[in-house]
Amino acid sequence: RVHGENFLDFFDGRMSFVGKVISAIINTICLALAIVLVLGLTNAFFFRGLSRDDGRDIQDVLGVPKQEASMKHLRQLSSADISQLFRKCPPASPPEKEFKGEILFGSFSPFARLVQNHFFGPGNWAGLAFGRKGVGHNIFIKGATKSRTRNFRYFVGKSPIDGHQSLFLEYSSFSADRLTHGRVDELRMINKNVTIGFATYYLAGRQYSPIPFALQLTSRDTPKDSETQREGWILFQQRL
């Protein structure tokens, strides 16, 4: 009888493991489909708009002087507005502070958030923090836990999107997984408190998926002991 109970416990354990594997496979397929959808939609909506200037200036796009712009104004913009606003803004010059982040993608934002929260991060993306020596990190919240991970180097350079200057966030120095290894964000400053950006992925030498997002400056300083280790397996475990 004891042997029988041990066998049942062993069988239940194996079935539980198989169930987790099947669940992981289904989640991976759903993520892949979401990524393909976001790639197609963002390429269609934003690369087309970023490639040309429609003649509007920043105030024309926002409807208010740029010094008065806030996250509220950015939420109301169309894909064409976001593209033109990005083209007209100078590269961001962030202080060593935390920024609250928000995806800007209208009716398709749930798909972009799915990629950002469950593919890129171990929880809901909450923003960015810029630290010393050109290094920063992303901030994610999962339940009561705040994670500071997905580290990046930041520097100013020429954008392949429109040829203008951007502040680049480059992840390959710290990322061990292949898809995130090809991620590069570009940031431009609307005013000292509000920044607009695009998250893009480089696959096979081509640039894909310009997902727009906005950053709002907070009063919180970036922790001085932020970690900058290579990431990969730890984040995978956190997602599970």
Side-chain angles (χ1 to χ4, degrees):
R1 184 175 180 180
V2 172
H3 289 297
E5 291 177 351
N6 289 339
F7 173 77
L8 289 175
D9 290 341
F10 173 77
F11 181 76
D12 288 342
R14 291 294 296 272
M15 291 303 294
S16 177
F17 173 76
V18 171
K20 288 182 179 179
V21 171
I22 293 174
S23 177
I25 292 172
I26 293 173
N27 288 337
T28 300
I29 293 172
C30 290
L31 278 174
L33 292 174
I35 292 167
V36 170
L37 179 60
V38 171
L39 286 175
L41 290 173
T42 55
N43 283 351
F45 279 99
F46 292 105
F47 270 141
R48 182 176 56 190
L50 287 166
S51 65
R52 63 177 184 269
D53 188 339
D54 67 6
R56 291 183 292 168
D57 61 22
I58 295 176
Q59 183 166 334
D60 290 335
V61 175
L62 290 170
V64 296
K66 67 177 184 179
Q67 293 80 5
E68 299 176 14
S70 66
M71 299 281 268
K72 177 185 71 174
H73 298 104
L74 298 186
R75 294 187 194 108
Q76 301 170 358
L77 299 181
S78 67
S79 60
D81 293 335
I82 293 172
S83 297
Q84 291 303 304
L85 181 61
F86 183 82
R87 285 185 58 91
K88 299 300 171 60
C89 291
S93 180
E96 292 180 14
K97 297 280 188 179
E98 291 187 2
F99 286 74
K100 179 183 177 182
E102 186 173 318
I103 299 294
L104 300 174
F105 201 18
S107 59
F108 297 111
S109 61
F111 301 104
R113 290 193 187 101
L114 177 63
V115 174
Q116 185 78 350
N117 296 340
H118 302 290
F119 171 66
F120 181 62
N124 293 325
W125 183 64
L128 300 172
F130 294 87
R132 297 171 294 175
K133 299 180 180 179
V135 174
H137 59 263
N138 283 260
I139 302 169
F140 300 92
I141 296 176
K142 188 174 184 179
T145 302
K146 177 184 285 189
S147 300
R148 299 178 180 276
T149 186
R150 288 303 190 198
N151 303 298
F152 54 80
R153 293 190 309 113
Y154 61 94
F155 54 89
V156 174
K158 183 178 179 180
S159 171
I161 293 178
D162 60 6
H164 300 164
Q165 295 288 301
S166 290
L167 182 74
F168 285 83
L169 312 186
E170 180 269 319
Y171 292 86
S172 62
S173 299
F174 304 106
S175 177
D177 59 77
R178 296 307 303 170
L179 284 177
T180 308
H181 186 82
R183 172 162 169 157
V184 176
D185 297 347
E186 295 189 31
L187 303 181
R188 294 185 184 171
M189 183 173 64
I190 299 172
N191 57 45
K192 65 179 182 179
N193 294 314
V194 182
T195 297
I196 190 170
F198 276 99
T200 65
Y201 287 87
Y202 286 82
L203 302 174
R206 295 187 61 185
Q207 190 178 28
Y208 295 93
S209 183
I211 298 174
F213 60 91
L215 300 173
Q216 173 77 52
L217 180 65
T218 73
S219 60
R220 294 186 293 273
D221 294 332
T222 299
K224 301 302 182 185
D225 58 348
S226 299
E227 296 183 1
T228 55
Q229 77 278 10
R230 286 180 65 80
E231 304 154 330
W233 174 244
I234 294 175
L235 281 174
F236 178 74
Q237 289 178 309
Q238 288 178 319
R239 291 194 196 103
L240 297 179

Coordinates of all heavy atoms in Angstrom, one line a residue, residues 97-173:
K97 N 17.2 60.4 -12.4 CA 15.9 60.3 -11.7 C 15.1 59.1 -12.3 O 15.5 58.6 -13.3 CB 15.1 61.6 -11.9 CG 15.7 62.9 -11.3 CD 15.4 63.0 -9.8 CE 15.8 64.3 -9.3 NZ 15.6 64.4 -7.8
E98 N 14.0 58.8 -11.6 CA 13.1 57.8 -12.1 C 12.0 58.5 -13.0 O 11.6 59.7 -12.7 CB 12.4 57.1 -11.0 CG 13.4 56.1 -10.3 CD 12.6 55.3 -9.2 OE1 11.4 55.4 -9.2 OE2 13.3 54.5 -8.5
F99 N 11.6 57.8 -14.0 CA 10.5 58.3 -14.9 C 9.4 57.3 -14.9 O 9.6 56.1 -15.1 CB 11.0 58.5 -16.3 CG 11.9 59.7 -16.5 CD1 13.2 59.7 -16.1 CD2 11.4 60.8 -17.2 CE1 14.1 60.8 -16.3 CE2 12.3 61.9 -17.4 CZ 13.6 61.9 -16.9
K100 N 8.1 57.8 -14.7 CA 7.0 57.0 -14.9 C 6.7 56.7 -16.4 O 6.8 57.7 -17.2 CB 5.8 57.6 -14.3 CG 4.5 56.8 -14.4 CD 3.3 57.6 -13.8 CE 2.0 56.9 -14.0 NZ 0.8 57.6 -13.5
G101 N 6.5 55.5 -16.8 CA 6.3 55.2 -18.2 C 4.9 54.7 -18.6 O 4.2 54.2 -17.7
E102 N 4.6 55.0 -19.8 CA 3.2 54.6 -20.3 C 3.3 54.3 -21.8 O 3.9 55.1 -22.6 CB 2.2 55.7 -20.0 CG 0.8 55.3 -20.4 CD -0.2 56.4 -19.9 OE1 0.0 56.9 -18.8 OE2 -1.1 56.8 -20.7
I103 N 2.7 53.2 -22.3 CA 2.7 52.8 -23.7 C 1.6 53.7 -24.4 O 0.6 54.0 -23.9 CB 2.3 51.4 -23.9 CG1 3.3 50.4 -23.2 CG2 2.1 51.0 -25.4 CD1 4.7 50.5 -23.9
L104 N 2.0 54.2 -25.6 CA 1.1 55.1 -26.4 C 0.8 54.3 -27.7 O 1.6 54.3 -28.6 CB 1.8 56.4 -26.7 CG 2.2 57.3 -25.6 CD1 2.9 58.5 -26.1 CD2 1.0 57.8 -24.8
F105 N -0.4 53.7 -27.7 CA -0.7 53.0 -28.9 C -2.2 52.9 -29.2 O -2.7 52.0 -29.9 CB -0.1 51.6 -28.9 CG 0.1 50.9 -30.2 CD1 0.1 51.7 -31.4 CD2 0.3 49.6 -30.3 CE1 0.3 51.1 -32.6 CE2 0.4 49.0 -31.6 CZ 0.4 49.7 -32.7
G106 N -3.0 53.8 -28.7 CA -4.4 53.9 -29.0 C -5.1 52.5 -28.7 O -4.9 51.9 -27.7
S107 N -6.0 52.1 -29.7 CA -6.8 50.9 -29.5 C -5.9 49.7 -29.5 O -6.4 48.6 -29.1 CB -7.8 50.9 -30.6 OG -7.2 50.8 -31.9
F108 N -4.7 49.7 -30.0 CA -3.8 48.5 -30.1 C -2.9 48.5 -28.9 O -2.1 47.6 -28.8 CB -3.0 48.5 -31.3 CG -3.8 48.5 -32.6 CD1 -3.9 49.5 -33.5 CD2 -4.6 47.3 -32.9 CE1 -4.7 49.5 -34.6 CE2 -5.3 47.2 -34.0 CZ -5.4 48.3 -34.9
S109 N -3.0 49.4 -27.9 CA -2.1 49.4 -26.8 C -2.1 48.1 -25.9 O -1.1 47.7 -25.4 CB -2.4 50.6 -25.9 OG -3.7 50.5 -25.4
P110 N -3.3 47.4 -25.8 CA -3.2 46.1 -25.1 C -2.2 45.1 -25.6 O -1.6 44.4 -24.9 CB -4.7 45.6 -25.2 CG -5.5 46.8 -25.3 CD -4.7 47.7 -26.2
F111 N -2.1 45.1 -27.0 CA -1.2 44.1 -27.6 C 0.3 44.6 -27.3 O 1.2 43.7 -27.0 CB -1.4 44.0 -29.1 CG -2.8 43.6 -29.4 CD1 -3.7 44.5 -29.9 CD2 -3.1 42.2 -29.3 CE1 -5.0 44.0 -30.2 CE2 -4.4 41.8 -29.6 CZ -5.3 42.7 -30.1
A112 N 0.5 45.9 -27.4 CA 1.9 46.4 -27.1 C 2.2 46.2 -25.6 O 3.3 45.8 -25.3 CB 1.9 47.9 -27.4
R113 N 1.2 46.4 -24.7 CA 1.5 46.1 -23.3 C 1.8 44.7 -23.0 O 2.6 44.3 -22.1 CB 0.3 46.6 -22.5 CG 0.1 48.1 -22.5 CD -0.9 48.5 -21.4 NE -1.2 49.9 -21.5 CZ -2.3 50.4 -22.0 NH1 -3.2 49.6 -22.5 NH2 -2.5 51.7 -22.1
L114 N 1.1 43.8 -23.7 CA 1.4 42.3 -23.6 C 2.8 42.0 -23.8 O 3.5 41.3 -23.1 CB 0.5 41.5 -24.5 CG 0.7 40.0 -24.5 CD1 0.4 39.4 -23.1 CD2 -0.2 39.3 -25.5
V115 N 3.4 42.6 -24.9 CA 4.8 42.4 -25.2 C 5.7 43.0 -24.2 O 6.6 42.4 -23.7 CB 5.1 42.9 -26.6 CG1 6.6 42.9 -26.9 CG2 4.3 42.2 -27.7
Q116 N 5.4 44.2 -23.8 CA 6.2 45.0 -22.9 C 6.2 44.3 -21.5 O 7.2 44.3 -20.8 CB 5.7 46.4 -22.8 CG 6.6 47.3 -21.9 CD 7.9 47.7 -22.6 OE1 8.2 47.2 -23.7 NE2 8.6 48.7 -22.0
N117 N 5.0 43.9 -21.0 CA 4.9 43.4 -19.6 C 5.3 41.9 -19.5 O 5.9 41.6 -18.5 CB 3.4 43.6 -19.2 CG 3.0 45.0 -19.1 OD1 3.8 45.9 -19.0 ND2 1.7 45.2 -19.1
H118 N 5.0 41.1 -20.5 CA 5.2 39.6 -20.3 C 6.3 39.0 -21.1 O 6.7 37.9 -20.9 CB 3.8 38.9 -20.5 CG 2.7 39.4 -19.6 ND1 2.7 39.1 -18.3 CD2 1.6 40.1 -19.9 CE1 1.6 39.7 -17.7 NE2 1.0 40.3 -18.7
F119 N 6.7 39.8 -22.1 CA 7.8 39.3 -22.9 C 9.1 40.0 -22.5 O 10.1 39.4 -22.3 CB 7.5 39.6 -24.4 CG 8.7 39.3 -25.3 CD1 9.2 38.0 -25.5 CD2 9.3 40.4 -26.0 CE1 10.3 37.8 -26.3 CE2 10.3 40.1 -26.9 CZ 10.8 38.9 -27.0
F120 N 9.0 41.4 -22.4 CA 10.2 42.2 -22.1 C 10.5 42.1 -20.6 O 11.6 42.2 -20.2 CB 10.0 43.6 -22.6 CG 11.1 44.5 -22.3 CD1 12.4 44.3 -22.9 CD2 11.0 45.6 -21.5 CE1 13.4 45.1 -22.7 CE2 12.0 46.5 -21.3 CZ 13.3 46.3 -21.9
G121 N 9.4 42.1 -19.8 CA 9.6 42.3 -18.3 C 9.0 41.2 -17.5 O 8.2 40.4 -18.0
P122 N 9.4 41.1 -16.2 CA 8.8 40.2 -15.3 C 7.6 40.8 -14.5 O 7.4 40.5 -13.4 CB 10.0 39.9 -14.3 CG 10.7 41.3 -14.3 CD 10.5 41.9 -15.6
G123 N 6.8 41.6 -15.2 CA 5.7 42.3 -14.6 C 5.2 43.4 -15.4 O 5.7 43.6 -16.5
N124 N 4.3 44.2 -14.8 CA 3.8 45.4 -15.6 C 4.9 46.5 -15.6 O 5.5 46.9 -14.6 CB 2.6 46.0 -14.9 CG 1.4 45.0 -15.0 OD1 1.3 44.3 -15.9 ND2 0.6 45.0 -13.9
W125 N 5.2 47.0 -16.8 CA 6.2 48.0 -17.0 C 5.7 49.3 -16.4 O 4.6 49.8 -16.6 CB 6.5 48.2 -18.5 CG 7.6 49.2 -18.8 CD1 8.9 49.1 -18.4 CD2 7.4 50.5 -19.4 NE1 9.6 50.2 -18.9 CE2 8.7 51.1 -19.5 CE3 6.3 51.1 -20.0 CZ2 8.9 52.3 -20.1 CZ3 6.5 52.4 -20.6 CH2 7.8 52.9 -20.6
A126 N 6.6 49.9 -15.5 CA 6.2 51.1 -14.8 C 7.1 52.3 -15.1 O 6.7 53.4 -14.8 CB 6.3 50.8 -13.3
G127 N 8.2 52.1 -15.8 CA 9.0 53.2 -16.2 C 10.5 52.9 -16.3 O 10.9 51.7 -16.4
L128 N 11.3 54.0 -16.3 CA 12.7 53.9 -16.4 C 13.4 54.7 -15.3 O 12.8 55.6 -14.7 CB 13.2 54.4 -17.8 CG 12.7 53.8 -19.1 CD1 13.1 54.7 -20.3 CD2 13.2 52.4 -19.2
A129 N 14.7 54.3 -15.1 CA 15.5 55.1 -14.2 C 16.9 55.3 -14.8 O 17.5 54.3 -15.4 CB 15.7 54.4 -12.8
F130 N 17.4 56.5 -14.8 CA 18.7 56.8 -15.4 C 19.8 57.0 -14.3 O 19.5 57.8 -13.4 CB 18.6 58.0 -16.3 CG 17.8 57.9 -17.5 CD1 16.4 58.1 -17.4 CD2 18.3 57.4 -18.7 CE1 15.6 57.9 -18.5 CE2 17.5 57.3 -19.8 CZ 16.1 57.5 -19.7
G131 N 20.8 56.3 -14.4 CA 21.9 56.3 -13.3 C 23.2 57.0 -13.8 O 23.2 57.6 -14.9
R132 N 24.2 56.7 -13.1 CA 25.5 57.3 -13.4 C 26.2 56.5 -14.5 O 25.9 55.4 -14.8 CB 26.4 57.3 -12.1 CG 25.8 58.1 -10.9 CD 26.6 57.9 -9.7 NE 26.4 56.5 -9.2 CZ 27.1 56.0 -8.2 NH1 28.0 56.7 -7.5 NH2 26.9 54.7 -7.8
K133 N 27.2 57.2 -15.1 CA 28.1 56.6 -16.1 C 27.3 56.0 -17.3 O 27.7 55.0 -17.9 CB 28.9 55.5 -15.4 CG 29.8 56.0 -14.3 CD 30.7 54.9 -13.7 CE 31.6 55.5 -12.6 NZ 32.4 54.4 -12.0
G134 N 26.2 56.6 -17.6 CA 25.5 56.2 -18.8 C 24.8 54.9 -18.8 O 24.6 54.2 -19.8
V135 N 24.4 54.5 -17.6 CA 23.7 53.2 -17.4 C 22.4 53.4 -16.6 O 22.3 54.2 -15.7 CB 24.6 52.2 -16.6 CG1 23.8 50.9 -16.2 CG2 25.9 51.9 -17.3
G136 N 21.3 52.7 -17.1 CA 20.0 52.8 -16.4 C 19.3 51.5 -16.4 O 19.9 50.5 -16.8
H137 N 18.1 51.5 -15.9 CA 17.3 50.2 -15.9 C 15.8 50.5 -16.0 O 15.4 51.7 -15.9 CB 17.6 49.5 -14.6 CG 17.2 50.3 -13.3 ND1 18.2 51.0 -12.6 CD2 16.0 50.5 -12.7 CE1 17.6 51.6 -11.6 NE2 16.3 51.3 -11.6
N138 N 15.1 49.5 -16.3 CA 13.6 49.5 -16.4 C 13.0 49.2 -15.0 O 13.7 48.5 -14.2 CB 13.1 48.6 -17.4 CG 13.2 49.1 -18.8 OD1 12.3 49.7 -19.4 ND2 14.4 49.0 -19.4
I139 N 11.8 49.6 -14.8 CA 11.1 49.3 -13.5 C 9.8 48.5 -13.9 O 9.1 48.9 -14.7 CB 10.8 50.6 -12.8 CG1 12.1 51.4 -12.5 CG2 10.0 50.3 -11.5 CD1 11.8 52.8 -12.0
F140 N 9.6 47.4 -13.2 CA 8.5 46.6 -13.4 C 7.8 46.3 -12.0 O 8.5 46.3 -11.0 CB 8.8 45.2 -14.0 CG 9.5 45.3 -15.4 CD1 10.9 45.4 -15.5 CD2 8.7 45.4 -16.5 CE1 11.5 45.5 -16.7 CE2 9.3 45.5 -17.8 CZ 10.7 45.6 -17.8
I141 N 6.5 46.2 -12.0 CA 5.7 45.9 -10.8 C 4.9 44.6 -11.0 O 4.1 44.6 -12.0 CB 4.8 47.1 -10.4 CG1 5.7 48.3 -10.1 CG2 3.9 46.7 -9.2 CD1 4.9 49.6 -9.8
K142 N 5.1 43.7 -10.1 CA 4.3 42.4 -10.2 C 3.8 42.2 -8.8 O 4.5 41.8 -7.9 CB 5.2 41.3 -10.6 CG 4.4 40.0 -10.9 CD 5.3 38.9 -11.5 CE 4.5 37.7 -11.8 NZ 5.3 36.6 -12.4
G143 N 2.4 42.4 -8.6 CA 1.9 42.4 -7.3 C 2.5 43.5 -6.4 O 2.4 44.6 -6.7
A144 N 3.0 43.0 -5.3 CA 3.6 44.0 -4.3 C 5.1 44.1 -4.6 O 5.8 44.9 -3.8 CB 3.4 43.6 -2.9
T145 N 5.7 43.5 -5.6 CA 7.1 43.5 -5.9 C 7.5 44.4 -7.0 O 6.9 44.4 -8.0 CB 7.6 42.0 -6.3 OG1 7.2 41.1 -5.2 CG2 9.1 42.0 -6.5
K146 N 8.5 45.3 -6.7 CA 9.0 46.2 -7.7 C 10.4 45.6 -8.1 O 11.3 45.4 -7.3 CB 9.2 47.6 -7.2 CG 9.8 48.6 -8.1 CD 10.0 49.9 -7.6 CE 8.7 50.7 -7.5 NZ 9.0 52.1 -7.1
S147 N 10.5 45.4 -9.4 CA 11.8 44.9 -10.0 C 12.5 46.0 -10.7 O 11.9 46.7 -11.5 CB 11.6 43.7 -10.9 OG 10.9 42.6 -10.2
R148 N 13.8 46.1 -10.5 CA 14.7 47.0 -11.3 C 15.6 46.1 -12.1 O 16.6 45.6 -11.6 CB 15.5 47.9 -10.3 CG 14.6 48.8 -9.4 CD 15.4 49.6 -8.5 NE 14.6 50.4 -7.6 CZ 14.1 51.6 -8.0 NH1 14.4 52.1 -9.2 NH2 13.3 52.3 -7.2
T149 N 15.3 46.0 -13.4 CA 16.0 45.1 -14.2 C 15.9 45.6 -15.7 O 15.5 46.7 -15.9 CB 15.5 43.7 -14.1 OG1 16.3 42.8 -14.8 CG2 14.0 43.6 -14.6
R150 N 16.3 44.8 -16.6 CA 16.4 45.2 -18.0 C 17.3 46.4 -18.1 O 16.9 47.5 -18.5 CB 15.1 45.4 -18.7 CG 14.3 44.1 -18.9 CD 15.1 43.2 -19.8 NE 14.2 42.0 -20.2 CZ 14.7 40.9 -20.7 NH1 16.0 40.7 -20.8 NH2 13.9 39.9 -21.1
N151 N 18.6 46.3 -17.8 CA 19.5 47.4 -17.8 C 19.9 47.8 -19.2 O 19.8 47.0 -20.1 CB 20.7 47.0 -17.0 CG 20.4 46.6 -15.6 OD1 19.9 47.3 -14.8 ND2 20.7 45.3 -15.2
F152 N 20.3 49.0 -19.3 CA 20.7 49.6 -20.6 C 21.8 50.6 -20.5 O 22.0 51.2 -19.4 CB 19.5 50.2 -21.3 CG 18.8 51.3 -20.5 CD1 19.3 52.6 -20.4 CD2 17.6 51.0 -19.8 CE1 18.7 53.6 -19.7 CE2 17.0 52.0 -19.1 CZ 17.5 53.2 -19.0
R153 N 22.6 50.8 -21.6 CA 23.5 51.9 -21.7 C 22.7 53.0 -22.5 O 21.9 52.7 -23.4 CB 24.7 51.5 -22.6 CG 25.6 50.5 -21.9 CD 26.9 50.4 -22.7 NE 26.7 50.2 -24.2 CZ 27.0 51.1 -25.1 NH1 27.5 52.3 -24.8 NH2 26.8 50.8 -26.4
Y154 N 23.0 54.3 -22.1 CA 22.3 55.4 -22.9 C 23.4 56.4 -23.4 O 24.4 56.7 -22.7 CB 21.2 56.0 -22.1 CG 21.6 56.7 -20.8 CD1 21.9 58.1 -20.7 CD2 21.6 56.0 -19.6 CE1 22.2 58.7 -19.5 CE2 21.9 56.6 -18.4 CZ 22.2 58.0 -18.4 OH 22.6 58.6 -17.2
F155 N 23.1 56.8 -24.6 CA 24.0 57.7 -25.3 C 23.3 58.4 -26.4 O 22.2 57.9 -26.9 CB 25.2 57.0 -25.9 CG 24.9 55.8 -26.7 CD1 24.7 56.0 -28.1 CD2 24.6 54.6 -26.2 CE1 24.3 55.0 -28.9 CE2 24.3 53.5 -27.0 CZ 24.1 53.7 -28.4
V156 N 23.8 59.6 -26.9 CA 23.2 60.3 -28.0 C 23.8 59.9 -29.3 O 25.0 59.7 -29.4 CB 23.3 61.8 -27.8 CG1 22.8 62.6 -29.0 CG2 22.6 62.3 -26.5
G157 N 23.0 59.7 -30.3 CA 23.5 59.3 -31.6 C 22.4 59.6 -32.7 O 21.3 60.1 -32.5
K158 N 22.8 59.3 -34.0 CA 22.0 59.6 -35.1 C 20.9 58.5 -35.3 O 21.3 57.3 -35.3 CB 22.8 59.7 -36.4 CG 22.0 60.1 -37.6 CD 22.9 60.2 -38.8 CE 22.2 60.5 -40.1 NZ 23.1 60.7 -41.3
S159 N 19.7 58.8 -35.4 CA 18.6 57.8 -35.5 C 18.5 57.3 -36.9 O 18.5 58.0 -37.9 CB 17.3 58.5 -35.1 OG 16.2 57.6 -35.4
P160 N 18.4 55.9 -37.1 CA 18.2 55.3 -38.4 C 16.7 55.5 -38.8 O 16.4 55.3 -40.0 CB 18.5 53.8 -38.1 CG 18.2 53.6 -36.7 CD 18.6 54.9 -36.0
I161 N 15.9 56.0 -37.9 CA 14.4 56.1 -38.2 C 14.3 57.4 -39.1 O 13.6 57.3 -40.2 CB 13.6 56.3 -36.9 CG1 13.6 55.0 -36.1 CG2 12.2 56.7 -37.3 CD1 12.8 55.1 -34.8
D162 N 14.8 58.5 -38.7 CA 14.6 59.7 -39.5 C 15.9 60.6 -39.7 O 15.8 61.6 -40.3 CB 13.5 60.6 -38.9 CG 13.9 61.0 -37.4 OD1 15.0 60.8 -37.0 OD2 13.1 61.6 -36.8
G163 N 17.0 60.1 -39.2 CA 18.3 60.8 -39.4 C 18.6 61.9 -38.4 O 19.6 62.5 -38.5
H164 N 17.7 62.1 -37.5 CA 17.9 63.1 -36.4 C 18.5 62.5 -35.2 O 18.7 61.3 -35.1 CB 16.5 63.7 -36.1 CG 15.8 64.4 -37.2 ND1 14.5 64.8 -37.2 CD2 16.3 64.8 -38.4 CE1 14.2 65.3 -38.3 NE2 15.2 65.4 -39.1
Q165 N 18.9 63.4 -34.3 CA 19.6 62.9 -33.0 C 18.6 62.4 -32.0 O 17.5 63.0 -31.8 CB 20.4 64.0 -32.4 CG 21.5 64.5 -33.3 CD 22.7 63.5 -33.3 OE1 23.2 63.2 -32.3 NE2 23.0 63.1 -34.5
S166 N 18.9 61.2 -31.4 CA 18.1 60.7 -30.3 C 19.0 60.2 -29.2 O 20.2 60.0 -29.3 CB 17.3 59.4 -30.9 OG 16.3 59.7 -31.8
L167 N 18.3 60.1 -28.0 CA 19.0 59.4 -26.9 C 18.7 57.9 -27.1 O 17.5 57.5 -27.0 CB 18.5 59.9 -25.6 CG 19.2 59.3 -24.4 CD1 20.6 59.9 -24.2 CD2 18.4 59.5 -23.1
F168 N 19.7 57.1 -27.2 CA 19.6 55.7 -27.4 C 19.7 54.9 -26.1 O 20.6 55.3 -25.3 CB 20.6 55.2 -28.4 CG 20.4 55.5 -29.8 CD1 20.8 56.7 -30.3 CD2 19.7 54.6 -30.7 CE1 20.6 57.1 -31.6 CE2 19.5 54.9 -32.0 CZ 19.9 56.2 -32.5
L169 N 18.8 53.9 -25.9 CA 18.9 53.0 -24.8 C 19.3 51.6 -25.5 O 18.5 51.1 -26.2 CB 17.6 52.9 -24.0 CG 16.9 54.2 -23.6 CD1 15.7 53.9 -22.7 CD2 17.9 55.1 -22.9
E170 N 20.5 51.1 -25.2 CA 21.0 49.9 -25.8 C 21.1 48.8 -24.8 O 21.7 49.0 -23.8 CB 22.3 50.2 -26.5 CG 23.0 49.1 -27.2 CD 23.9 48.3 -26.3 OE1 24.6 48.9 -25.5 OE2 23.9 47.1 -26.4
Y171 N 20.5 47.7 -25.1 CA 20.3 46.6 -24.1 C 21.3 45.4 -24.3 O 21.4 44.6 -23.4 CB 18.9 46.0 -24.1 CG 17.8 47.0 -23.7 CD1 17.3 47.9 -24.5 CD2 17.4 47.0 -22.3 CE1 16.3 48.8 -24.1 CE2 16.5 47.9 -21.9 CZ 15.9 48.8 -22.8 OH 15.0 49.7 -22.3
S172 N 22.0 45.4 -25.4 CA 22.8 44.2 -25.7 C 23.9 43.9 -24.7 O 24.4 42.8 -24.6 CB 23.3 44.2 -27.1 OG 24.2 45.3 -27.3
S173 N 24.4 45.0 -24.1 CA 25.5 44.8 -23.1 C 25.1 44.0 -21.9 O 26.0 43.5 -21.2 CB 26.0 46.2 -22.7 OG 26.5 46.9 -23.8

